[in-house]
Amino acid sequence: MKFFKILLIFIIAVGLNSCGPYNFTGAKPIDAKTFQVNYFLNNADLVEPGIERTFTIRLQELIQNQTNLNLTNTSGDLVYEGEITEYRITPMQATANQTAAQSRLSITINVRFSNKNKEADDFEKQFSFYFDYDGATQLVGSKLSEALDVIFERITQDIFNESLAKW
């Protein structure tokens, strides 16, 4: 009987020890209250107007939606900044008529992240993703919006994972 009491106490102790802060976004507990996303400049050779603003807003929204951090314009505990370094359209498959059957839009963004409370978390890293589409299609209007949605969703989630989830 004494063995079972000791075993029960051990199981409870281990169970309580393994329980800690948890949330469904994957973000680890972080010693910060505010974050700042500086405007990401578009330094790509091929410039698509407006994508830098769209990306900056998407990153702000993702962090706001997945954490309890407050967005600020100055002196954030966490600071995200960088630039769009590549916006490229590449033919992926050719047809018999020497035209592109499939094309790929690739975007690369260089990100500098700094954590004022824990400098060991700071990094500078490039994140990129792509969107494949029919080569006969012009990448304008709703098709461009769809491509940017797919690419920016992936890149912003990767940035979130690298900076806050530590995946």
Side-chain angles (χ1 to χ4, degrees):
M1 190 64 163
K2 185 176 180 180
F3 173 76
F4 289 113
K5 285 182 183 180
I6 293 173
L7 182 62
L8 182 61
I9 291 172
F10 177 75
I11 291 172
I12 291 172
V14 168
L16 290 176
N17 190 33
S18 66
C19 295
Y22 178 80
N23 64 47
F24 292 104
T25 65
K28 303 283 186 204
I30 193 160
D31 182 26
K33 294 192 180 349
T34 61
F35 77 98
Q36 171 184 338
V37 178
N38 293 337
Y39 191 74
F40 278 73
L41 296 175
N42 191 347
N43 293 338
D45 291 336
L46 179 60
V47 174
E48 178 63 40
I51 65 169
E52 64 278 7
R53 181 179 185 280
T54 302
F55 176 77
T56 301
I57 291 169
R58 294 278 177 85
L59 183 57
Q60 290 172 343
E61 289 174 347
L62 179 101
I63 296 168
Q64 281 181 309
N65 291 339
Q66 293 193 14
T67 69
N68 60 357
L69 298 171
N70 295 313
L71 177 63
T72 184
N73 291 327
T74 58
S75 302
D77 295 328
L78 309 177
V79 178
Y80 297 84
E81 58 189 353
E83 53 278 331
I84 298 170
T85 58
E86 183 177 272
Y87 180 96
R88 182 178 45 161
I89 298 173
T90 309
M92 298 303 292
Q93 296 176 353
T95 65
N97 299 332
Q98 299 298 319
T99 59
Q102 185 178 35
S103 295
R104 173 174 286 179
L105 170 63
S106 302
I107 297 178
T108 301
I109 300 177
N110 187 58
V111 177
R112 288 177 297 282
F113 170 76
S114 58
N115 181 342
K116 291 181 180 177
N117 300 324
K118 188 176 178 187
E119 290 181 10
D121 288 349
D122 295 0
F123 66 81
E124 181 169 358
K125 184 175 179 181
Q126 290 193 343
F127 297 87
S128 62
F129 200 61
Y130 61 89
F131 178 81
D132 292 335
Y133 62 97
D134 184 344
T137 303
Q138 293 265 342
L139 197 57
V140 295
S142 64
K143 195 63 170 179
L144 178 60
S145 292
E146 178 188 356
L148 293 177
D149 285 346
V150 169
I151 292 170
F152 289 164
E153 180 180 340
R154 174 64 177 266
I155 291 175
T156 56
Q157 190 64 54
D158 287 349
I159 293 167
F160 176 87
N161 290 346
E162 183 74 23
S163 62
L164 296 174
K166 308 290 186 231
W167 286 6

